[in-house]
Structures are given as structure tokens and as C-alpha cells.
Amino acid sequence: MILNGWYVAAWAHELDSTTPVARMICNNPIVLFRMADGKAAALLDRCCHRAAPLHLGRVVAGGIECGYHGMVFDNQGRCVAIPAQDTIPASAKVKSFPTIEKNQQIWIWTGEAGLADESLIPDFPWHDNKENWSFRYAAYKIAANHMLSIDNLMDLTHVAYVHRKTLGTGAPQAHLDATLATTVKDRGVKFISWMLNSVPPATFVRTLGFTTNVDRWREFEFIAPGTVIQFTGGQEVGKRAYEDDRRDGGYQLRRFHCFTPETERTTHYFSSVGNGHRPDDPAATEELFHEIDITVREDIAMVEAQHQELERHGEEGLMAIKSDATRIAMRRIVARLLEQQQG
Amino acid sequence: MILNGWYVAAWAHELDSTTPVARMICNNPIVLFRMADGKAAALLDRCCHRAAPLHLGRVVAGGIECGYHGMVFDNQGRCVAIPAQDTIPASAKVKSFPTIEKNQQIWIWTGEAGLADESLIPDFPWHDNKENWSFRYAAYKIAANHMLSIDNLMDLTHVAYVHRKTLGTGAPQAHLDATLATTVKDRGVKFISWMLNSVPPATFVRTLGFTTNVDRWREFEFIAPGTVIQFTGGQEVGKRAYEDDRRDGGYQLRRFHCFTPETERTTHYFSSVGNGHRPDDPAATEELFHEIDITVREDIAMVEAQHQELERHGEEGLMAIKSDATRIAMRRIVARLLEQQQG
Amino acid sequence: MILNGWYVAAWAHELDSTTPVARMICNNPIVLFRMADGKAAALLDRCCHRAAPLHLGRVVAGGIECGYHGMVFDNQGRCVAIPAQDTIPASAKVKSFPTIEKNQQIWIWTGEAGLADESLIPDFPWHDNKENWSFRYAAYKIAANHMLSIDNLMDLTHVAYVHRKTLGTGAPQAHLDATLATTVKDRGVKFISWMLNSVPPATFVRTLGFTTNVDRWREFEFIAPGTVIQFTGGQEVGKRAYEDDRRDGGYQLRRFHCFTPETERTTHYFSSVGNGHRPDDPAATEELFHEIDITVREDIAMVEAQHQELERHGEEGLMAIKSDATRIAMRRIVARLLEQQQG
């Protein structure tokens, strides 16, 4: 897996100044907490005395106190107190990880610390734009390698099958006929797919009362190593949403996805759902979240089953089809970054 | 395990034309379904595109549709449709397994397909003889190697101990004194054991009102690789059931057993129980089934515990005793077939 | 792990003359039972015929009867009966383990039988002194290597942290200021720690109505390979408990601990709690037990979490602190005995 990259370790609201959070990230057991000044910290969740997990302790004035024999460590992992002992040896420290809080996310870098370049953290300003957007945050555990979930979002032909009874209902051909334009970047891939002059989904109609066909767009951008930024919506036919790229009206849905490896076989999925068409209506945000939550679970069931089968026999004998193009472009970028990582 | 042989993959009634059935057989993940014409099919449960398990899809006109991106495969595993793609490459196929429906069973051959000889499938015509026999079908999962269950049926001295509180109750010595005649065949072993002039079990009396002692027979035939056919019954003493081999009256029980390897450590046990003395009485069949179900679970508990111990230390230090003779004859046949398989 | 040593296999009351007890000890699956004369026996829980676990059988006149095909083994593991077979071959035997009943414990030796020296069994006469002591016996399963629990008892500074809300409440500094005197023996370590002129814990006050400060003692003796004997109490300041070592009044608590390896990763914890200040009051014993049971579970949670982390990365990068001194002395003894064992 890519280690020299930023993954979301937690939503900002998960960390408070009293209770540490334990989370395995990229095979590292990590304890997350906030220092007294609010600064987020991530340490190896293993006291340097007897390997007790630090998350069993508590947050105190100087940092985190081990719950076994009381040693205290600051956000750099330096030991600042040993009970009943006056001197603190230099060896008394635990590993710390570069940690940045941005756009309601706590980002972590578990690779080579010297390479941690803050400018590589994806932007998602809509999380902080509370006037125009109303977000709900969620976290899922997926029993599959994180790449399978990125694959999933890079090929939307799955909508007609995985979400046959939900998102994909009623219009399989419209999904298959959608346009597709893909842009490959240095550390990412972006595509936009339009379903022009198509029957609006039930959700659109219920929410905004569409009475005509719509032009629907689905824009997805993968940013290595684990983020996918989504902008989906629809506008009445005739408003030139497609022709003039005017996507500022109608149905407005933004989603932030980060697939953070827990291990090679398990993934933390941080997913937010943002309502941009009726941001002042909490019920609309809730409804949107619940509709999407069902489809998230459909995708999870599929990638977990796929993972089980890949665990058994790997990729042996598999073949690509036409709809894999964007997915393969994404995989090439990841392969290149992995090569760079291994030197 | 023996792969060049027929195992039961499912009862016929388990397959319908809408919902595929997933089942691991001899370490192969397999999807079972019926084509539109009713023909049973067994494919590797792994789409050749991205390894999605096919059983998550659905049965459609041309075969089975993958639930991830919609490819369709027929009963030979040939891809017959790829959404949004006109040509189907020759490489688009999944492995299929020889499959035969016979006597209410779906039989599968997971070994070398060219060797799949239909004449080797065991006959069990009583399943189809609904006038004289009333059957109930069951399937169990056993957390043990399948050979241990075949061992179990090849040495009935276990009845006095494993089934001490059920089948074996009250007459341990009668079980130990039973006659035993064994016939070794090319791909099987058959034995018949008589308990002459013995007290009828409570079940016999309750069902048929015996007032005298009975001559009881227990006939078991192992047919490689996993089938055991059982015919058990009892007739009043003096009716010459034993002397003239007249086993057409009295208490009549037939059972079909197939122990199909799921893996080396787990087994699908297909078990049917047939009532031949009161075939028109569904309550008698139910009662018979439930009595036998209890003993089946006693055997399963024993072989699972035995398996655990064999996993730990193998067969090291074990010894044979007199009652192992038929079991050992069965094991020799299996060993010979395994040798042939490995060439 | 140390195999040439005595571990508790069971409390005496667990064994009766009808139902065998199955227990994995030092990686050996063992069946424990009593012969007709009451003598405790421990055999390998694996019939020498087909590896069926003997604990699924029953205790009969001559020993234990296998529940599969009825072979019977005595307390030396010798086969004394094979159903339907007249002669018993010399090879028909299962391994037996030296077993001694003493002080309400069944002790077992799973190492080299010729080295089993009964004089090495720890004494704990208070279990049998029912006039002055009232004990309650318990057994816990711990998902951690047994050494971590012995570590735990050899460094009481953990009390202020692990038991912060229970035992350690209100007086962290008193715990840290406690005296400590350690004696290293050939196969053990003993220490006594005094908290002089300290506020009595709520329990002491509730039980005995202390109105002054107390001198509290905590005496722990490790006896290899797995036993820890504890004597804890407190007496009013001024009664010279410390100066004259008069520890026969006031609050009197004795505990017996044995940490018996189930495997390298799991432990049977035999723990008794003895009330010596109000031995005639069963409610006082119950109350004492329940208070201690809570702290036992706090320790178990900690060592299990610690074990998980040690499983991942071992002792790499760990450091000792001042409070480790007694623990390290204990570990040295164990290391020496392990070396002797390996020759």
C-alpha cells in the first residue's frame, strides 16, 4: 500500500481533549488525541515501557498518560513524566506521526516523515462552507482491501447492477449510454459522466419537484492515495448545464470519500454526504444521507465478497472490459507511486 | 481428497430458476443455478472480469448475470453478454463443472472433466418411488474432514457409546453381539449386520406395535467417493427375515448419505430419511426424521471433536482394534483411488 | 514456557467421580477425572484408537470410558477394556501426567515426568484452615501469555493507574511512596510493601470501622513457575504492625493466584480470595470477593491489550523503569529455569 501519502485518520469531531481514540492505520496501531491546546496528535499506540496500548490511558495536561504505570507522552511522543522516578532517559519516547487538521478531517502520514508534504492534502472546502452546504459525516469498516472501493467508484457501470434496486432502478440503459470524459493528472484521475435528457430519479423529483427530463452529471476525482471527491447533480433540460458547464443549480450533491487502509485486508471508509440544494433543511440532509447509506452498504457487500474471492486466487485469469478504462488509469497512478515508494 | 468422483452438490429442490446457490465444494467456490430450460448448472463462483462472486447476481434468460458489472454466462461458462460492449472476447469465460441431476440429487464432478463417467453415479431409486417410500431431505454442515463421517458409519460398535442415550439405549450387548458380513467391491464396501432375536427398540414398538423379539438388520454400502446407502429394519422373530433374506416387511428405513468435502476441514452432509413401513403417514416420516436427526447431531459432535484432535497431532500413535475391519477396507479403496488420481 | 514445574490444573471441587473435565494445559489437551477411590487423574484427552477426546466419554468403574467405541483407560492411561475384543495389546495406552491433590488444588506436571518433585508444590495451608479463614474460589480465562499476569503482580505501581477508579482511588501518592523490600529465593521472589500512616481505604473502614490512619502491608511471593501468594492487610497506626512485624490483627486478606498456561497466548487463572478478619461472616467474604473480582477484570483487560501489542511487535524498543526491579528479578528466575529445562 502507499504509505507516503495522506489518509484521513478521523473526522475532526471524533477527537476531544479527554478520551483518546485507538485506530489501526496502514498496519500501525495508532492512538489519536488532542493536546490541551486542541492540537491533534497521533502516536504509536504502544507505551515504550511494557507495550501497553496508550489508548487505555487518559489525556492529561502534558499529553497522554499510559493506563498501566503512568508514564506521560506529549504529541511528539516524548516522555514527560515517569511516576516515582526523577530522571527521564532519552530513550523514553514513542513514535509520532505527522498529523494535520483540515476541512473537518484529521489527516495522517504513516510513511517516511521527512516526505510529509502538507500541500498534497486534498482540498474539500465545502465541509467548511456551512452557509451553502449541509454535511453529514459517517465512517464504515470494510473487510476488503481499500483499492477495491476506489475501483468501484472509478467505473459507474456498476450502478445498473449493484444498485439495481436503488440508484440504478428503472434506467439501466441511461446509465450505460452516459457520456464519459476522463482527465489523468499527476497524482489523480478525474472523470465526468453526463446522462443527458434523462428521466430524473425519484429522489430528484421528490426533493425538487422536477417535471421535465434532466441533464445529470456525475463528477469523480481520485486523489492518491485514498481520496475520491464527488460532485453529482441534475438540472432541467434546456438550462444548458452540459453545454455551458453550468452546474450551479438544480440538484446538488457533494461527497467526500477517503479509503484509509487499516490493513491490507480491511479499510476505514470515511464518507460525508453534502446537501447543496436545500442546505437549510436538516431533514433533506438526513434523507439524502439515508438514501446514500443504503447504496454504500450495497457497494461494501460487493467489494467484501470480491475481496474474499481475490484472497483465494488473486487476479489470476481476470480480464479487462471496455468500462475499465478510468479504473485502469487510476491503478497506473497508484502503481507508479508504489514504485517510487520502493525506490 | 478424491476429486475424480461424483459428490452431491445440492438436493434438486434447492435449485430454482431465479436464485443462484453458492456452495464451496472440494475447495472450489461454486455457483449452482438452473438455466431457463431447467437444466442444472455449476460454474466457478468468480466472474472472469473482477472476480466478483456470481451468486450475488441473478439468473436471467441466457444464464447467470454478474451482480457487479452485468456480464452474463451460460451453463458452459461462456460469456454471452458484456454491457456497453459489442464484441465478446474468447477469453471471457468461467470454468464450468460436469453436473447431472438424478434421484432428487444434483451431482457434481470437480476433478478432471474428461473422466466424468455418468455410470459411476450411485443409484438411489427409492427417492423417486413415492408410492412406497416417504422421504425427508436434510443438509448439515460438519466442521470435520468428510472421511471421519464415513469412518463413523463403517463401524457400528459406536452406536452403544455415541448413541448410548438414544439408538443404543438398553441393549449394549446386543449391539456388540451383532453378526457382520462384509463385501468389498471395486469402488465400495457393503456390510450387513444382524441383531437376531433382540428386544425391539422403543421406536419399532411405538410405530408398529411389535409384541415379540425381532430380527434387526443394518445394511450399509459405501460407494466412493462420498456416498453411503443404508437400509435398516426389523421383522418379528420367526418370519425368517434372516434365514431367507426376506426383508420386505416390518420396520423399513432407508437412508441416503453423501459426505461432500467443502474443504479438507469441513463437510456438507446430505442426508435423507425414508419411511417405508408407513409411507402414507406424513407424521410417521416426521417422527422418524426427528429421531434420526438427534443421532446425526450426536455423530457430528463426535467427529468434530475427533477432527480437532487430529488437526493437532494427526494420526500419530493411533492403533486399530478388531471392530475397525470394515472401516479399514473402506479406507484402502479410498487410498487406491487417491493413488490413481495422482497418477 | 516452563514445563518442569507444578501448575494448578483445577480446583479440587471441580472434579467429581462422574463427569470428566477437559482442559488444555501447556498446549496439552488433558482430561481430568477422579477414579472410583477418589484419586485425581490427568490423561491426554485423546483416545489411542481414533483420537476421540476422552472427555466426551464417562467415568466408569475402571477409569474413563471413551465415548466413541468404548475403550476404558485407568489413571495411569493403561487400557483396561476394549469392547468385543478379548486381548488388550500393550500399545493400548494414553499418556498420563503426574497429578497431586493438595490444599484444595489439583496440581499437574506436564514436563519430564521423572523430574516431578512433589516437594516443589507451593504450600497454601490457609485454604484448609476453615476455622480462621473463609475462601471463595474462582477461575478466569485470560487471552494473554501467563507471564504478563505475573509481571502485573510484581509491580504494584500499576495500582494507581489500572485500578484508578477502584483500589487506587484517592491516594495515588501513598501508593507511589510505599516502602518496598524484596527477597530473591532460588525459585521465587518475595516482596513486602508498606503504606505507613495512610488513609484507610473505604473497604477497610466499611468492614472494620477504622477511625484512624492505618499501616497497610502488601506481601507477594512468586513461586515458579506460576504461583503468587498474597497477604494484604492493615492495622491501626500505633499498633506497631510495621515496627514489630505484627500482622495478626486488623484487616486480613489472603489470596492464592496460579497462572497456568493454556497455550503461549492464553492462560487459566486460578484465584482464591480469603477473608481472615471476619471468617464467620459469609456476606463479608462475598463482598470481598466481588470487590476483588472487579480489579481482577481490570488487570485482565490490561494484560490482554498488552499481549495483543506484544504479539504484533514483541519486546522491540521497550525500556525498563525504576519500578520494574522486582519484576525483573522474577523474570531472571524464570529465564534460568527455562535454560535448565532446555539443557
Side-chain angles (χ1 to χ4, degrees):
Chain A
M1 66 181 70
I2 295 176
L3 298 179
N4 289 328
W6 295 100
Y7 292 103
V8 173
W11 292 118
H13 72 79
E14 291 185 272
L15 296 196
D16 62 36
S17 56
T18 56
T19 310
V21 169
R23 196 157 283 163
M24 173 83 68
I25 296 175
C26 298
N27 292 312
N28 295 281
I30 284 173
V31 59
L32 302 161
F33 61 100
R34 287 190 192 279
M35 296 292 284
D37 64 2
K39 196 170 166 55
L43 301 182
L44 193 66
D45 192 11
R46 167 182 166 99
C47 181
C48 61
H49 171 217
R50 293 296 301 145
L54 293 173
H55 77 270
L56 295 177
R58 54 180 184 158
V59 180
V60 295
I64 188 164
E65 178 189 86
C66 179
Y68 203 167
H69 302 96
M71 290 170 73
V72 179
F73 303 90
D74 71 11
N75 65 327
Q76 299 302 307
R78 291 172 298 224
C79 181
V80 295
I82 304 179
Q85 183 167 330
D86 295 334
T87 58
I88 298 174
S91 63
K93 63 181 180 213
V94 302
K95 182 181 169 94
S96 69
F97 298 88
T99 306
I100 302 283
E101 184 164 356
K102 177 179 167 185
N103 295 149
Q104 309 300 326
Q105 295 126 343
I106 310 293
W107 294 89
I108 195 170
W109 180 282
T110 65
E112 202 177 326
L115 300 178
D117 175 355
E118 193 170 335
S119 74
L120 295 176
I121 297 179
D123 290 314
F124 199 78
W126 301 279
H127 275 166
D128 294 323
N129 178 351
K130 291 180 184 174
E131 198 172 337
N132 298 310
W133 288 91
S134 168
F135 274 90
R136 177 151 169 189
Y137 302 91
Y140 303 84
K141 282 285 287 286
I142 305 180
N145 183 279
H146 65 292
M147 293 302 299
L148 298 184
S149 289
I150 303 174
D151 283 349
N152 176 270
L153 294 180
M154 292 294 110
D155 179 359
L156 297 187
T157 64
H158 82 269
V159 171
Y161 303 96
V162 175
H163 309 303
R164 191 165 59 87
K165 294 177 182 170
T166 51
L167 274 185
T169 187
Q173 200 55 42
H175 284 272
L176 298 174
D177 291 344
T179 72
L180 180 68
T182 298
T183 313
V184 176
K185 303 183 175 184
D186 185 44
R187 296 174 70 94
V189 179
K190 185 174 188 167
F191 71 83
I192 182 162
S193 166
W194 286 87
M195 295 164 71
L196 297 170
N197 192 12
S198 64
V199 177
T203 324
F204 286 28
V205 176
R206 197 162 58 242
T207 314
L208 298 181
F210 286 110
T211 55
T212 63
N213 270 4
V214 294
D215 292 333
R216 287 171 67 182
W217 65 89
R218 286 104 47 99
E219 180 185 294
F220 285 77
E221 179 172 3
F222 164 69
I223 302 169
T227 297
V228 176
I229 288 172
Q230 174 183 346
F231 179 28
T232 308
Q235 183 54 293
E236 286 172 34
V237 161
K239 296 236 174 157
R240 302 188 62 83
Y242 175 67
E243 294 79 355
D244 303 344
D245 195 23
R246 292 178 54 178
R247 292 186 282 158
D248 52 354
Y251 192 85
Q252 295 272 322
L253 165 65
R254 286 193 189 269
R255 296 183 62 191
F256 172 88
H257 313 256
C258 187
F259 300 98
T260 302
E262 180 179 61
T263 66
E264 293 286 355
R265 297 172 174 188
T266 52
T267 299
H268 300 287
Y269 175 24
F270 296 94
S271 163
S272 74
V273 172
N275 153 24
H277 40 264
R278 292 170 63 178
D280 297 332
D281 180 355
T285 306
E286 274 299 294
E287 185 182 340
L288 187 62
F289 173 80
H290 285 293
E291 280 172 358
I292 286 173
D293 178 65
I294 290 168
T295 66
V296 163
R297 293 175 196 279
E298 288 172 336
D299 283 326
I300 290 176
M302 179 55 77
V303 299
E304 290 185 342
Q306 188 191 9
H307 178 89
Q308 286 301 313
E309 183 49 31
L310 288 168
E311 283 269 310
R312 213 183 320 274
H313 293 293
E315 302 252 341
E316 180 191 330
L318 299 186
M319 60 176 293
I321 60 177
K322 199 175 140 195
S323 66
D324 283 310
T326 309
R327 188 183 74 73
I328 289 170
M330 175 278 292
R331 286 279 194 163
R332 281 206 191 102
I333 291 161
V334 170
R336 177 171 47 77
L337 293 172
L338 278 172
E339 263 174 46
Q340 287 172 10
Q341 181 169 291
Q342 283 148 18
Chain B
M1 67 182 69
I2 296 176
L3 298 179
N4 289 327
W6 295 99
Y7 292 104
V8 173
W11 293 119
H13 71 79
E14 292 185 90
L15 296 196
D16 60 39
S17 56
T18 57
T19 312
V21 169
R23 195 156 284 163
M24 172 83 67
I25 296 173
C26 298
N27 292 312
N28 295 282
I30 284 172
V31 58
L32 301 162
F33 61 99
R34 286 190 192 279
M35 297 291 284
D37 64 1
K39 195 170 168 57
L43 301 183
L44 193 65
D45 191 14
R46 168 183 167 99
C47 181
C48 62
H49 171 218
R50 293 295 301 145
L54 294 173
H55 77 269
L56 295 176
R58 56 180 180 157
V59 180
V60 295
I64 188 163
E65 178 189 86
C66 179
Y68 204 166
H69 302 95
M71 290 169 74
V72 178
F73 302 92
D74 71 10
N75 65 328
Q76 299 302 308
R78 291 172 298 221
C79 180
V80 295
I82 303 180
Q85 183 167 330
D86 295 334
T87 57
I88 297 173
S91 63
K93 63 181 180 214
V94 301
K95 184 180 167 94
S96 70
F97 297 89
T99 306
I100 301 283
E101 185 164 354
K102 177 179 167 186
N103 296 149
Q104 309 300 327
Q105 295 126 343
I106 309 293
W107 294 88
I108 194 169
W109 180 283
T110 66
E112 201 176 328
L115 301 178
D117 175 355
E118 194 171 335
S119 75
L120 294 176
I121 297 180
D123 290 313
F124 197 77
W126 301 278
H127 275 166
D128 294 323
N129 177 352
K130 291 179 183 174
E131 197 173 338
N132 297 311
W133 288 91
S134 168
F135 274 90
R136 177 150 169 190
Y137 301 90
Y140 303 85
K141 281 288 285 287
I142 304 179
N145 182 280
H146 65 291
M147 292 302 300
L148 298 183
S149 289
I150 303 173
D151 283 349
N152 176 270
L153 294 180
M154 292 295 110
D155 178 359
L156 296 187
T157 65
H158 82 269
V159 171
Y161 302 97
V162 175
H163 310 303
R164 191 166 58 87
K165 294 176 182 170
T166 50
L167 273 186
T169 187
Q173 201 54 44
H175 283 273
L176 298 174
D177 291 345
T179 71
L180 180 66
T182 299
T183 312
V184 177
K185 303 183 176 184
D186 184 43
R187 296 173 69 95
V189 179
K190 185 173 188 169
F191 71 82
I192 182 163
S193 165
W194 285 87
M195 295 165 70
L196 297 171
N197 193 11
S198 63
V199 177
T203 324
F204 286 28
V205 175
R206 196 161 58 242
T207 315
L208 297 182
F210 286 110
T211 55
T212 64
N213 271 4
V214 293
D215 293 333
R216 286 171 67 183
W217 64 90
R218 286 105 46 100
E219 179 186 295
F220 286 77
E221 179 171 4
F222 164 68
I223 302 169
T227 298
V228 177
I229 288 172
Q230 174 183 345
F231 179 28
T232 308
Q235 182 56 292
E236 286 172 34
V237 161
K239 295 235 173 159
R240 303 188 61 84
Y242 174 66
E243 294 80 354
D244 303 344
D245 195 22
R246 292 178 55 178
R247 293 186 282 157
D248 53 353
Y251 192 86
Q252 296 271 324
L253 165 64
R254 286 193 188 267
R255 296 183 61 193
F256 172 88
H257 313 256
C258 186
F259 300 98
T260 302
E262 179 180 60
T263 66
E264 293 286 356
R265 297 173 173 187
T266 51
T267 299
H268 299 288
Y269 175 24
F270 296 93
S271 163
S272 73
V273 172
N275 153 23
H277 39 264
R278 292 170 61 178
D280 297 331
D281 179 356
T285 306
E286 273 301 293
E287 185 182 338
L288 187 62
F289 174 78
H290 285 293
E291 280 172 356
I292 286 174
D293 179 65
I294 291 168
T295 66
V296 164
R297 294 175 196 278
E298 288 171 336
D299 283 325
I300 289 176
M302 179 55 78
V303 297
E304 289 185 343
Q306 188 192 8
H307 179 87
Q308 286 301 312
E309 183 49 32
L310 288 168
E311 283 270 310
R312 214 184 319 274
H313 293 295
E315 303 253 340
E316 181 191 329
L318 300 186
M319 60 177 292
I321 60 176
K322 199 176 140 194
S323 66
D324 284 311
T326 309
R327 188 183 72 74
I328 289 170
M330 176 276 292
R331 286 279 194 164
R332 282 205 189 104
I333 291 162
V334 170
R336 176 170 48 75
L337 292 173
L338 278 172
E339 263 175 47
Q340 287 172 9
Q341 181 169 291
Q342 283 147 18
Chain C
M1 68 182 69
I2 296 176
L3 299 179
N4 289 328
W6 294 100
Y7 292 104
V8 172
W11 293 118
H13 72 78
E14 291 184 271
L15 296 197
D16 61 36
S17 55
T18 56
T19 312
V21 169
R23 195 156 284 164
M24 172 83 67
I25 295 174
C26 299
N27 293 313
N28 295 283
I30 284 172
V31 58
L32 302 161
F33 61 98
R34 287 189 192 280
M35 297 290 285
D37 64 1
K39 196 170 168 54
L43 302 183
L44 192 67
D45 191 13
R46 167 182 167 100
C47 181
C48 61
H49 170 218
R50 294 295 301 146
L54 293 172
H55 77 270
L56 295 176
R58 55 179 181 158
V59 180
V60 295
I64 188 165
E65 177 189 87
C66 178
Y68 204 167
H69 301 97
M71 288 169 75
V72 178
F73 302 92
D74 70 11
N75 64 328
Q76 300 302 308
R78 291 172 298 222
C79 180
V80 296
I82 303 179
Q85 183 166 330
D86 294 335
T87 58
I88 297 173
S91 62
K93 62 181 178 213
V94 302
K95 184 181 168 93
S96 69
F97 298 89
T99 307
I100 301 283
E101 184 164 358
K102 178 180 166 185
N103 296 148
Q104 308 300 327
Q105 295 126 342
I106 309 294
W107 294 89
I108 194 169
W109 179 284
T110 65
E112 200 177 328
L115 301 178
D117 174 356
E118 193 170 336
S119 74
L120 295 175
I121 297 179
D123 289 314
F124 198 78
W126 300 278
H127 275 166
D128 294 322
N129 178 351
K130 291 178 183 173
E131 197 173 339
N132 297 310
W133 288 91
S134 169
F135 274 90
R136 177 152 167 187
Y137 301 91
Y140 303 85
K141 281 287 286 284
I142 304 179
N145 183 279
H146 65 291
M147 293 303 299
L148 298 183
S149 290
I150 303 174
D151 283 348
N152 176 270
L153 294 181
M154 292 294 109
D155 178 359
L156 296 187
T157 65
H158 82 269
V159 171
Y161 302 96
V162 176
H163 309 302
R164 191 165 58 88
K165 295 177 182 169
T166 50
L167 272 185
T169 188
Q173 201 53 45
H175 283 274
L176 298 174
D177 292 344
T179 71
L180 180 66
T182 299
T183 312
V184 177
K185 304 184 175 182
D186 184 44
R187 296 175 69 96
V189 179
K190 184 175 188 168
F191 71 83
I192 183 163
S193 166
W194 285 87
M195 296 164 71
L196 296 171
N197 192 11
S198 64
V199 177
T203 325
F204 285 29
V205 176
R206 197 162 60 240
T207 314
L208 297 181
F210 286 110
T211 56
T212 65
N213 270 4
V214 294
D215 294 332
R216 285 171 68 181
W217 66 89
R218 285 105 46 100
E219 181 186 295
F220 286 77
E221 179 172 4
F222 164 68
I223 303 169
T227 297
V228 177
I229 288 173
Q230 174 183 346
F231 179 28
T232 308
Q235 183 56 292
E236 286 172 34
V237 159
K239 294 236 173 157
R240 303 188 62 82
Y242 176 65
E243 295 79 354
D244 303 345
D245 195 22
R246 292 178 55 179
R247 292 187 281 157
D248 52 354
Y251 192 86
Q252 297 271 323
L253 165 65
R254 287 193 189 269
R255 295 183 62 193
F256 172 88
H257 313 256
C258 187
F259 300 98
T260 302
E262 180 180 60
T263 66
E264 293 286 356
R265 299 172 172 188
T266 53
T267 299
H268 300 286
Y269 175 22
F270 296 94
S271 162
S272 73
V273 172
N275 154 23
H277 40 265
R278 291 170 64 178
D280 297 331
D281 180 354
T285 306
E286 275 298 294
E287 186 182 339
L288 188 62
F289 173 79
H290 284 294
E291 280 173 358
I292 287 174
D293 178 65
I294 291 167
T295 66
V296 164
R297 293 175 196 278
E298 288 172 336
D299 284 325
I300 289 175
M302 178 55 78
V303 298
E304 289 184 343
Q306 188 191 10
H307 178 89
Q308 286 300 314
E309 183 49 32
L310 289 168
E311 283 268 311
R312 214 183 321 271
H313 294 293
E315 303 252 339
E316 180 191 330
L318 300 186
M319 60 177 294
I321 61 176
K322 199 175 139 194
S323 66
D324 283 312
T326 309
R327 189 183 71 75
I328 290 171
M330 176 277 291
R331 286 279 195 164
R332 281 204 190 104
I333 291 162
V334 170
R336 176 171 48 76
L337 293 173
L338 278 172
E339 264 175 44
Q340 287 172 7
Q341 181 170 293
Q342 283 148 18

